[in-house]
């Protein structure tokens, strides 16, 4: 298994940064980071499902599976999650 984006490992546990607020929208969602004041747009409702379930899933891969993301789409979702991690919207959960 390869990582879609350097720095994001789908086989690790991830979660929303505690300072990130999620606002669902008809097109997907808005994510706002109160610490960095960055705004991100999720243009895919399934990606929103993945992001919302990260805190409950043991890994990002499992969160994708729970949201019904097919294996063929994992690189695309991994890239999107990697971009969110790169902008501090997501943080790795430590045991």
């Amino acid at each position: 298994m390869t990582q879609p984006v350097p720095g994001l490992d789908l086989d690790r546990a991830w979660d929303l940064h505690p300072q990130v607020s999620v606002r669902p929208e008809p097109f997907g969602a808005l994510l706002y980071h109160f610490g960095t004041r960055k705004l991100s747009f999720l243009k895919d409702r399934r990606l929103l499902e993945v992001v919302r379930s990260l805190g409950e899933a043991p890994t990002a891969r499992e969160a994708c599976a729970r949201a019904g993301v097919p294996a063929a789409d994992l690189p695309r979702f991994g890239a999107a999650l990697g971009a969110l991690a790169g902008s501090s919207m997501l943080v790795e959960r430590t045991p």
Side-chain angles (χ1 to χ4, degrees):
M1 291 182 234
T2 60
Q3 295 177 346
V5 172
L8 180 74
D9 185 347
L10 287 176
D11 295 313
R12 292 184 183 256
W14 294 85
D15 204 350
L16 277 172
H17 188 285
Q19 291 185 308
V20 172
S21 174
V22 178
R23 187 172 99 187
E25 295 288 343
F27 60 81
L30 295 173
L31 274 60
Y32 181 74
H33 193 300
F34 287 93
T36 63
R37 301 179 76 170
K38 290 182 182 177
L39 183 65
S40 291
F41 295 88
L42 302 184
K43 298 178 184 175
D44 185 315
R45 303 273 310 156
R46 201 168 347 146
L47 181 57
L48 173 59
E49 289 179 45
V50 171
V51 167
R52 283 183 156 173
S53 68
L54 283 172
E56 301 165 4
T59 66
R61 187 177 306 277
E62 178 63 25
C64 288
R66 290 178 184 182
V69 176
D73 288 343
L74 282 177
R76 182 170 62 89
F77 277 77
L81 294 171
L84 291 172
S87 64
S88 301
M89 295 291 180
L90 301 180
V91 292
E92 189 174 356
R93 238 180 21 240
T94 55

